[in-house]
């Protein structure tokens, strides 16, 4: 999976816009927070804990990690590193794809 051509963080709209070679997709910040792939969040989801994600949660910073990006959220959570493949999948129509990680 190639890195996106461009990433724009629309903080006001709460959307991360990713421009891939096959088109441009946006993912809401709340969805990204709910799909955090860090071990802590994955363990919580697997054990059936349903975390309430605030609709107004925002991505504060996007840090490049080579194979993906680390997202720093306004609720202080910053453990999730989102590989490009995962981000590409998240921008598609099917939720809960974290199970494939
Ligand atoms: Zn997490």
């Amino acid at each position: 999976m190639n890195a996106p051509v461009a990433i724009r963080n629309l903080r006001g709209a709460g959307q991360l816009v990713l421009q891939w070679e096959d088109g441009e997709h946006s993912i809401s910040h709340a969805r990204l927070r709910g799909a955090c792939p860090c071990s802590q969040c994955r363990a919580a989801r697997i054990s059936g804990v349903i975390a309430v994600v605030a609709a107004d949660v925002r991505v504060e910073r996007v840090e490049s990690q080579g194979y993906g990006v680390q997202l720093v959220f306004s609720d202080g959570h910053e453990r999730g590193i989102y590989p490009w493949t995962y981000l590409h999948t998240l921008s598609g129509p099917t939720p809960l794809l974290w199970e494939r990680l």
Side-chain angles (χ1 to χ4, degrees):
M1 185 82 220
N2 292 328
V5 180
I7 300 177
R8 280 178 292 138
N9 187 25
L10 305 181
R11 213 181 165 287
Q15 298 279 328
L16 192 69
V17 181
L18 299 134
Q19 191 185 332
W20 304 98
E21 285 164 4
D22 65 356
E24 187 175 276
H25 302 281
S26 59
I27 315 172
S28 78
H29 290 179
R31 182 163 189 204
L32 286 163
R33 180 64 184 85
C36 177
C38 83
S39 57
Q40 186 185 343
C41 293
R42 287 171 62 194
R45 285 191 298 258
I46 288 165
S47 65
V49 175
I50 298 173
V52 176
V53 176
D56 62 351
V57 71
R58 291 291 179 264
V59 173
E60 298 282 353
R61 293 208 316 276
V62 179
E63 306 278 358
S64 176
Q65 294 289 338
Y67 64 95
V69 286
Q70 177 187 9
L71 300 182
V72 179
F73 291 94
S74 57
D75 63 0
H77 197 67
E78 56 179 23
R79 293 186 57 184
I81 296 174
Y82 298 66
W84 301 131
T85 307
Y86 188 49
L87 283 173
H88 192 262
T89 306
L90 277 179
S91 61
T94 312
L96 302 178
L97 285 161
W98 49 267
E99 287 172 333
R100 290 186 189 171
L101 284 177

